Amino acid sequence: MDAPSKEFALAGSLEELKIKGRLVVHGSHRPILVIYDRGRVFALDNRCPHMGFPLECGSVEDGILTCHWHHARFDLESGCTFDLWADDVPICPVEVRNGDVWVKTTFTHADLAAHWHQRLANGLAHDLGLVIAKAVHGQLAAGVLQAEIVRQVALFGAQNRDGWGVGLTILTALANLLPVLPDEDAYLALFHGAGRVAADCDGEAPRRERAPLGSRPDPAALKRWLRRWANVRHREAAERTLLTAIAAGLSPAELADALFAAETERAFADTGHSLDFINKAFECLDLVGWQ
């Protein structure tokens, strides 16, 4: 490992780094900040992940790097932020060879799609627009299909709010437009849809899991029961009946018939929103897959 390689760049001598405390490596890659702190050498992206301010202008104390632009703080070793709104800063491997400091100039992950999938999950969970924006862009750049991103966001919205929210309606409406949008606008549609779902779920209790009935009544009986529970506003009974219909293998058309039959008897309930929500839920399933 003493010979230079295309992946590693010379930052300077260890003695120089000790004297200066930090060095910046420039090249065809992104600027890399190399820091000497408490007898160890660290290397990370020189751009603050929040708004790009040069981290070389920040301060280091007790293993914590602080950006002076918005006071975002980062763990030097891992690059992880203590302030979730700022996002984590990428790090890169660093080696000391014969008194010289070498840094690997690539910022990447073994599985980019999986990495950005997890980052989107984190962004949605904490309603962090910056993280959502980066994660949507990262997934698209990694070749993830648009429908897969819509599916991830829709599942998050369904699981983390006890009821259909306007964010899921917006996500579905925007997702319907994706086939006719240019790439840049498609990215914005996905970002705004995901952001609205995250905002809907922020601070909400997650949906309680309910189970289908142990029996499998025929479709006609399930349809009658669903109408009965809708009329008397018995939510738990209606949901268990619907879950039973799904478990019994009713087709999308049969499920739609049962739900719309129950809803249209109370067409003006909730000023008609629930009728629209049912329609959008079926559109969303058409987009992301009924499985």
Side-chain angles (χ1 to χ4, degrees):
M1 292 296 294
D2 290 333
S5 72
K6 292 181 179 179
E7 289 187 329
F8 281 81
L10 177 64
S13 69
L14 179 60
E15 193 61 32
E16 178 188 12
L17 180 60
K18 286 181 179 179
I19 294 171
K20 294 183 177 180
R22 64 194 67 187
L23 297 168
V24 179
V25 182
H26 296 281
S28 57
H29 49 80
R30 284 140 55 179
I32 300 171
L33 175 61
V34 185
I35 291 177
Y36 183 85
D37 180 58
R38 299 172 301 162
R40 298 180 63 188
V41 180
F42 306 93
L44 57 160
D45 193 336
N46 191 39
R47 303 175 304 174
C48 179
H50 180 221
M51 294 187 70
F53 190 77
L55 289 175
E56 64 183 291
C57 298
S59 57
V60 175
E61 182 180 0
D62 195 24
I64 298 172
L65 170 62
T66 301
C67 177
H68 287 182
W69 192 246
H70 292 102
H71 207 65
R73 291 149 294 191
F74 307 93
D75 168 34
L76 264 182
E77 184 171 359
S78 66
C80 293
T81 184
F82 293 94
D83 304 282
L84 294 181
W85 47 264
D87 201 9
D88 298 337
V89 60
I91 62 172
C92 52
V94 59
E95 297 177 1
V96 178
R97 311 174 190 167
N98 300 322
D100 289 328
V101 179
W102 294 80
V103 294
K104 193 171 184 178
T105 58
T106 54
F107 301 90
T108 189
H109 301 271
D111 187 337
L112 279 173
H115 167 75
W116 289 117
H117 184 279
Q118 183 57 53
R119 294 303 293 149
L120 180 55
N122 293 341
L124 292 168
H126 298 285
D127 191 17
L128 299 170
L130 176 67
V131 178
I132 292 171
K134 289 182 180 181
V136 169
H137 184 275
Q139 287 202 50
L140 291 172
V144 176
L145 297 177
Q146 295 173 351
E148 291 292 334
I149 300 174
V150 174
R151 179 184 291 116
Q152 182 183 358
V153 177
L155 285 173
F156 175 86
Q159 294 164 350
N160 288 278
R161 190 177 191 276
D162 200 22
W164 185 275
V166 68
L168 284 169
T169 291
I170 292 173
L171 172 71
T172 303
L174 291 171
N176 282 330
L177 299 175
L178 290 175
V180 297
L181 292 177
D183 289 345
E184 183 175 348
D185 291 339
Y187 160 73
L188 289 173
L190 288 166
F191 163 65
H192 285 299
R196 289 303 298 263
V197 170
D200 263 5
C201 297
D202 189 29
E204 294 286 333
R207 189 180 75 82
R208 292 189 181 95
E209 289 294 333
R210 297 179 175 90
L213 303 173
S215 60
R216 292 294 179 265
D218 62 70
L222 290 167
K223 182 178 178 179
R224 290 195 308 272
W225 291 355
L226 197 58
R227 293 172 69 180
R228 178 195 304 249
W229 305 137
N231 279 329
V232 297
R233 304 186 184 187
H234 191 344
R235 174 186 170 151
E236 290 80 8
E239 188 164 349
R240 290 204 76 178
T241 300
L242 180 58
L243 286 168
T244 304
I246 294 170
L250 267 65
S251 69
E254 290 173 313
L255 291 171
D257 178 57
L259 276 168
F260 284 122
E263 174 59 25
T264 50
E265 291 194 351
R266 301 176 64 246
F268 298 104
D270 193 25
T271 61
H273 283 111
S274 53
L275 186 63
D276 178 57
F277 289 167
I278 292 171
N279 185 56
K280 279 291 179 286
F282 279 107
E283 287 181 16
C284 188
L285 285 166
D286 284 338
L287 290 166
V288 304
W290 281 77
Q291 71 277 16

PDB file of all heavy atoms in Angstrom, residues 147-171:
ATOM      1  N   ALA A 147     -41.852   4.173  -9.341  1.00  0.00           N
ATOM      2  CA  ALA A 147     -42.935   3.481  -8.641  1.00  0.00           C
ATOM      3  C   ALA A 147     -42.466   2.890  -7.317  1.00  0.00           C
ATOM      4  O   ALA A 147     -43.245   2.807  -6.351  1.00  0.00           O
ATOM      5  CB  ALA A 147     -43.527   2.389  -9.527  1.00  0.00           C
ATOM      6  N   GLU A 148     -41.200   2.487  -7.240  1.00  0.00           N
ATOM      7  CA  GLU A 148     -40.665   1.938  -5.994  1.00  0.00           C
ATOM      8  C   GLU A 148     -40.597   3.019  -4.921  1.00  0.00           C
ATOM      9  O   GLU A 148     -40.855   2.764  -3.734  1.00  0.00           O
ATOM     10  CB  GLU A 148     -39.276   1.338  -6.230  1.00  0.00           C
ATOM     11  CG  GLU A 148     -39.266   0.082  -7.073  1.00  0.00           C
ATOM     12  CD  GLU A 148     -39.908  -1.095  -6.358  1.00  0.00           C
ATOM     13  OE1 GLU A 148     -39.907  -1.112  -5.105  1.00  0.00           O
ATOM     14  OE2 GLU A 148     -40.432  -1.999  -7.029  1.00  0.00           O
ATOM     15  N   ILE A 149     -40.236   4.237  -5.330  1.00  0.00           N
ATOM     16  CA  ILE A 149     -40.175   5.344  -4.376  1.00  0.00           C
ATOM     17  C   ILE A 149     -41.580   5.699  -3.908  1.00  0.00           C
ATOM     18  O   ILE A 149     -41.815   5.922  -2.715  1.00  0.00           O
ATOM     19  CB  ILE A 149     -39.478   6.557  -5.016  1.00  0.00           C
ATOM     20  CG1 ILE A 149     -38.046   6.187  -5.429  1.00  0.00           C
ATOM     21  CG2 ILE A 149     -39.472   7.746  -4.059  1.00  0.00           C
ATOM     22  CD1 ILE A 149     -37.320   7.263  -6.194  1.00  0.00           C
ATOM     23  N   VAL A 150     -42.526   5.739  -4.839  1.00  0.00           N
ATOM     24  CA  VAL A 150     -43.921   6.011  -4.469  1.00  0.00           C
ATOM     25  C   VAL A 150     -44.410   4.944  -3.500  1.00  0.00           C
ATOM     26  O   VAL A 150     -45.078   5.241  -2.508  1.00  0.00           O
ATOM     27  CB  VAL A 150     -44.819   6.064  -5.721  1.00  0.00           C
ATOM     28  CG1 VAL A 150     -46.284   6.208  -5.316  1.00  0.00           C
ATOM     29  CG2 VAL A 150     -44.404   7.207  -6.633  1.00  0.00           C
ATOM     30  N   ARG A 151     -44.065   3.679  -3.760  1.00  0.00           N
ATOM     31  CA  ARG A 151     -44.490   2.588  -2.874  1.00  0.00           C
ATOM     32  C   ARG A 151     -43.932   2.782  -1.462  1.00  0.00           C
ATOM     33  O   ARG A 151     -44.658   2.631  -0.469  1.00  0.00           O
ATOM     34  CB  ARG A 151     -44.037   1.238  -3.435  1.00  0.00           C
ATOM     35  CG  ARG A 151     -44.426   0.055  -2.547  1.00  0.00           C
ATOM     36  CD  ARG A 151     -43.899  -1.266  -3.062  1.00  0.00           C
ATOM     37  NE  ARG A 151     -44.568  -1.638  -4.293  1.00  0.00           N
ATOM     38  CZ  ARG A 151     -43.956  -1.748  -5.480  1.00  0.00           C
ATOM     39  NH1 ARG A 151     -42.663  -1.491  -5.571  1.00  0.00           N
ATOM     40  NH2 ARG A 151     -44.627  -2.096  -6.541  1.00  0.00           N
ATOM     41  N   GLN A 152     -42.644   3.129  -1.358  1.00  0.00           N
ATOM     42  CA  GLN A 152     -42.037   3.317  -0.041  1.00  0.00           C
ATOM     43  C   GLN A 152     -42.729   4.438   0.736  1.00  0.00           C
ATOM     44  O   GLN A 152     -43.034   4.292   1.921  1.00  0.00           O
ATOM     45  CB  GLN A 152     -40.541   3.638  -0.173  1.00  0.00           C
ATOM     46  CG  GLN A 152     -39.845   3.803   1.178  1.00  0.00           C
ATOM     47  CD  GLN A 152     -38.381   4.192   1.065  1.00  0.00           C
ATOM     48  OE1 GLN A 152     -37.837   4.320  -0.038  1.00  0.00           O
ATOM     49  NE2 GLN A 152     -37.725   4.398   2.181  1.00  0.00           N
ATOM     50  N   VAL A 153     -42.990   5.537   0.055  1.00  0.00           N
ATOM     51  CA  VAL A 153     -43.626   6.671   0.726  1.00  0.00           C
ATOM     52  C   VAL A 153     -45.076   6.340   1.095  1.00  0.00           C
ATOM     53  O   VAL A 153     -45.545   6.664   2.190  1.00  0.00           O
ATOM     54  CB  VAL A 153     -43.567   7.923  -0.163  1.00  0.00           C
ATOM     55  CG1 VAL A 153     -44.284   9.088   0.502  1.00  0.00           C
ATOM     56  CG2 VAL A 153     -42.115   8.302  -0.473  1.00  0.00           C
ATOM     57  N   ALA A 154     -45.793   5.683   0.190  1.00  0.00           N
ATOM     58  CA  ALA A 154     -47.190   5.339   0.452  1.00  0.00           C
ATOM     59  C   ALA A 154     -47.307   4.381   1.643  1.00  0.00           C
ATOM     60  O   ALA A 154     -48.187   4.540   2.500  1.00  0.00           O
ATOM     61  CB  ALA A 154     -47.824   4.720  -0.790  1.00  0.00           C
ATOM     62  N   LEU A 155     -46.425   3.401   1.716  1.00  0.00           N
ATOM     63  CA  LEU A 155     -46.451   2.466   2.838  1.00  0.00           C
ATOM     64  C   LEU A 155     -46.143   3.185   4.150  1.00  0.00           C
ATOM     65  O   LEU A 155     -46.758   2.907   5.189  1.00  0.00           O
ATOM     66  CB  LEU A 155     -45.457   1.330   2.607  1.00  0.00           C
ATOM     67  CG  LEU A 155     -45.885   0.268   1.588  1.00  0.00           C
ATOM     68  CD1 LEU A 155     -44.748  -0.709   1.323  1.00  0.00           C
ATOM     69  CD2 LEU A 155     -47.111  -0.485   2.086  1.00  0.00           C
ATOM     70  N   PHE A 156     -45.204   4.111   4.093  1.00  0.00           N
ATOM     71  CA  PHE A 156     -44.898   4.884   5.303  1.00  0.00           C
ATOM     72  C   PHE A 156     -46.135   5.657   5.751  1.00  0.00           C
ATOM     73  O   PHE A 156     -46.483   5.668   6.934  1.00  0.00           O
ATOM     74  CB  PHE A 156     -43.746   5.856   5.035  1.00  0.00           C
ATOM     75  CG  PHE A 156     -43.459   6.766   6.196  1.00  0.00           C
ATOM     76  CD1 PHE A 156     -42.605   6.362   7.212  1.00  0.00           C
ATOM     77  CD2 PHE A 156     -44.051   8.019   6.287  1.00  0.00           C
ATOM     78  CE1 PHE A 156     -42.361   7.187   8.300  1.00  0.00           C
ATOM     79  CE2 PHE A 156     -43.809   8.851   7.362  1.00  0.00           C
ATOM     80  CZ  PHE A 156     -42.964   8.435   8.381  1.00  0.00           C
ATOM     81  N   GLY A 157     -46.804   6.303   4.805  1.00  0.00           N
ATOM     82  CA  GLY A 157     -47.987   7.078   5.140  1.00  0.00           C
ATOM     83  C   GLY A 157     -49.114   6.223   5.687  1.00  0.00           C
ATOM     84  O   GLY A 157     -49.837   6.634   6.595  1.00  0.00           O
ATOM     85  N   ALA A 158     -49.266   5.022   5.154  1.00  0.00           N
ATOM     86  CA  ALA A 158     -50.341   4.135   5.612  1.00  0.00           C
ATOM     87  C   ALA A 158     -50.053   3.558   6.990  1.00  0.00           C
ATOM     88  O   ALA A 158     -50.974   3.280   7.759  1.00  0.00           O
ATOM     89  CB  ALA A 158     -50.532   3.002   4.602  1.00  0.00           C
ATOM     90  N   GLN A 159     -48.781   3.379   7.310  1.00  0.00           N
ATOM     91  CA  GLN A 159     -48.409   2.728   8.562  1.00  0.00           C
ATOM     92  C   GLN A 159     -48.207   3.711   9.713  1.00  0.00           C
ATOM     93  O   GLN A 159     -48.243   3.319  10.875  1.00  0.00           O
ATOM     94  CB  GLN A 159     -47.130   1.912   8.363  1.00  0.00           C
ATOM     95  CG  GLN A 159     -47.306   0.734   7.420  1.00  0.00           C
ATOM     96  CD  GLN A 159     -45.983   0.172   6.925  1.00  0.00           C
ATOM     97  OE1 GLN A 159     -44.920   0.775   7.132  1.00  0.00           O
ATOM     98  NE2 GLN A 159     -46.033  -0.969   6.254  1.00  0.00           N
ATOM     99  N   ASN A 160     -47.991   4.976   9.401  1.00  0.00           N
ATOM    100  CA  ASN A 160     -47.599   5.925  10.442  1.00  0.00           C
ATOM    101  C   ASN A 160     -48.618   7.026  10.686  1.00  0.00           C
ATOM    102  O   ASN A 160     -48.293   8.058  11.256  1.00  0.00           O
ATOM    103  CB  ASN A 160     -46.240   6.537  10.087  1.00  0.00           C
ATOM    104  CG  ASN A 160     -45.112   5.551  10.242  1.00  0.00           C
ATOM    105  OD1 ASN A 160     -44.605   5.333  11.328  1.00  0.00           O
ATOM    106  ND2 ASN A 160     -44.734   4.922   9.131  1.00  0.00           N
ATOM    107  N   ARG A 161     -49.846   6.788  10.243  1.00  0.00           N
ATOM    108  CA  ARG A 161     -50.952   7.698  10.540  1.00  0.00           C
ATOM    109  C   ARG A 161     -52.216   6.863  10.565  1.00  0.00           C
ATOM    110  O   ARG A 161     -52.425   6.049   9.674  1.00  0.00           O
ATOM    111  CB  ARG A 161     -51.044   8.789   9.468  1.00  0.00           C
ATOM    112  CG  ARG A 161     -51.998   9.924   9.812  1.00  0.00           C
ATOM    113  CD  ARG A 161     -51.942  10.978   8.710  1.00  0.00           C
ATOM    114  NE  ARG A 161     -52.620  12.200   9.089  1.00  0.00           N
ATOM    115  CZ  ARG A 161     -53.930  12.394   8.973  1.00  0.00           C
ATOM    116  NH1 ARG A 161     -54.693  11.430   8.481  1.00  0.00           N
ATOM    117  NH2 ARG A 161     -54.475  13.533   9.328  1.00  0.00           N
ATOM    118  N   ASP A 162     -53.046   7.060  11.578  1.00  0.00           N
ATOM    119  CA  ASP A 162     -54.218   6.197  11.718  1.00  0.00           C
ATOM    120  C   ASP A 162     -55.372   6.727  10.866  1.00  0.00           C
ATOM    121  O   ASP A 162     -56.386   7.211  11.366  1.00  0.00           O
ATOM    122  CB  ASP A 162     -54.638   6.119  13.185  1.00  0.00           C
ATOM    123  CG  ASP A 162     -55.498   4.894  13.444  1.00  0.00           C
ATOM    124  OD1 ASP A 162     -55.428   3.940  12.657  1.00  0.00           O
ATOM    125  OD2 ASP A 162     -56.246   4.901  14.436  1.00  0.00           O
ATOM    126  N   GLY A 163     -55.194   6.636   9.571  1.00  0.00           N
ATOM    127  CA  GLY A 163     -56.203   7.120   8.633  1.00  0.00           C
ATOM    128  C   GLY A 163     -55.547   7.747   7.421  1.00  0.00           C
ATOM    129  O   GLY A 163     -54.407   8.196   7.464  1.00  0.00           O
ATOM    130  N   TRP A 164     -56.292   7.783   6.345  1.00  0.00           N
ATOM    131  CA  TRP A 164     -55.784   8.363   5.097  1.00  0.00           C
ATOM    132  C   TRP A 164     -55.652   9.873   5.273  1.00  0.00           C
ATOM    133  O   TRP A 164     -56.563  10.532   5.756  1.00  0.00           O
ATOM    134  CB  TRP A 164     -56.746   8.053   3.946  1.00  0.00           C
ATOM    135  CG  TRP A 164     -56.259   8.489   2.608  1.00  0.00           C
ATOM    136  CD1 TRP A 164     -56.394   9.721   2.051  1.00  0.00           C
ATOM    137  CD2 TRP A 164     -55.558   7.697   1.649  1.00  0.00           C
ATOM    138  NE1 TRP A 164     -55.816   9.757   0.799  1.00  0.00           N
ATOM    139  CE2 TRP A 164     -55.293   8.515   0.530  1.00  0.00           C
ATOM    140  CE3 TRP A 164     -55.127   6.371   1.630  1.00  0.00           C
ATOM    141  CZ2 TRP A 164     -54.625   8.060  -0.596  1.00  0.00           C
ATOM    142  CZ3 TRP A 164     -54.459   5.917   0.513  1.00  0.00           C
ATOM    143  CH2 TRP A 164     -54.213   6.740  -0.584  1.00  0.00           C
ATOM    144  N   GLY A 165     -54.504  10.408   4.883  1.00  0.00           N
ATOM    145  CA  GLY A 165     -54.285  11.837   5.003  1.00  0.00           C
ATOM    146  C   GLY A 165     -54.202  12.508   3.649  1.00  0.00           C
ATOM    147  O   GLY A 165     -54.028  11.857   2.611  1.00  0.00           O
ATOM    148  N   VAL A 166     -54.304  13.829   3.657  1.00  0.00           N
ATOM    149  CA  VAL A 166     -54.261  14.580   2.402  1.00  0.00           C
ATOM    150  C   VAL A 166     -52.902  14.408   1.714  1.00  0.00           C
ATOM    151  O   VAL A 166     -52.792  14.498   0.494  1.00  0.00           O
ATOM    152  CB  VAL A 166     -54.587  16.069   2.651  1.00  0.00           C
ATOM    153  CG1 VAL A 166     -53.477  16.751   3.457  1.00  0.00           C
ATOM    154  CG2 VAL A 166     -54.827  16.808   1.344  1.00  0.00           C
ATOM    155  N   GLY A 167     -51.850  14.126   2.510  1.00  0.00           N
ATOM    156  CA  GLY A 167     -50.534  13.911   1.917  1.00  0.00           C
ATOM    157  C   GLY A 167     -50.518  12.729   0.966  1.00  0.00           C
ATOM    158  O   GLY A 167     -49.896  12.783  -0.099  1.00  0.00           O
ATOM    159  N   LEU A 168     -51.215  11.648   1.330  1.00  0.00           N
ATOM    160  CA  LEU A 168     -51.288  10.485   0.449  1.00  0.00           C
ATOM    161  C   LEU A 168     -52.085  10.799  -0.818  1.00  0.00           C
ATOM    162  O   LEU A 168     -51.789  10.285  -1.898  1.00  0.00           O
ATOM    163  CB  LEU A 168     -51.915   9.304   1.188  1.00  0.00           C
ATOM    164  CG  LEU A 168     -50.996   8.591   2.190  1.00  0.00           C
ATOM    165  CD1 LEU A 168     -51.783   7.615   3.045  1.00  0.00           C
ATOM    166  CD2 LEU A 168     -49.862   7.878   1.467  1.00  0.00           C
ATOM    167  N   THR A 169     -53.095  11.655  -0.693  1.00  0.00           N
ATOM    168  CA  THR A 169     -53.839  12.081  -1.875  1.00  0.00           C
ATOM    169  C   THR A 169     -52.931  12.877  -2.818  1.00  0.00           C
ATOM    170  O   THR A 169     -52.932  12.663  -4.036  1.00  0.00           O
ATOM    171  CB  THR A 169     -55.052  12.935  -1.465  1.00  0.00           C
ATOM    172  OG1 THR A 169     -55.997  12.100  -0.812  1.00  0.00           O
ATOM    173  CG2 THR A 169     -55.725  13.558  -2.677  1.00  0.00           C
ATOM    174  N   ILE A 170     -52.145  13.794  -2.244  1.00  0.00           N
ATOM    175  CA  ILE A 170     -51.226  14.602  -3.055  1.00  0.00           C
ATOM    176  C   ILE A 170     -50.168  13.713  -3.700  1.00  0.00           C
ATOM    177  O   ILE A 170     -49.843  13.860  -4.882  1.00  0.00           O
ATOM    178  CB  ILE A 170     -50.582  15.701  -2.193  1.00  0.00           C
ATOM    179  CG1 ILE A 170     -51.643  16.724  -1.778  1.00  0.00           C
ATOM    180  CG2 ILE A 170     -49.433  16.380  -2.920  1.00  0.00           C
ATOM    181  CD1 ILE A 170     -51.161  17.753  -0.783  1.00  0.00           C
ATOM    182  N   LEU A 171     -49.617  12.771  -2.917  1.00  0.00           N
ATOM    183  CA  LEU A 171     -48.618  11.849  -3.468  1.00  0.00           C
ATOM    184  C   LEU A 171     -49.189  11.093  -4.656  1.00  0.00           C
ATOM    185  O   LEU A 171     -48.538  10.974  -5.706  1.00  0.00           O
ATOM    186  CB  LEU A 171     -48.186  10.856  -2.380  1.00  0.00           C
ATOM    187  CG  LEU A 171     -47.277   9.709  -2.849  1.00  0.00           C
ATOM    188  CD1 LEU A 171     -45.884  10.231  -3.195  1.00  0.00           C
ATOM    189  CD2 LEU A 171     -47.191   8.614  -1.788  1.00  0.00           C
TER     190      LEU A 171
END
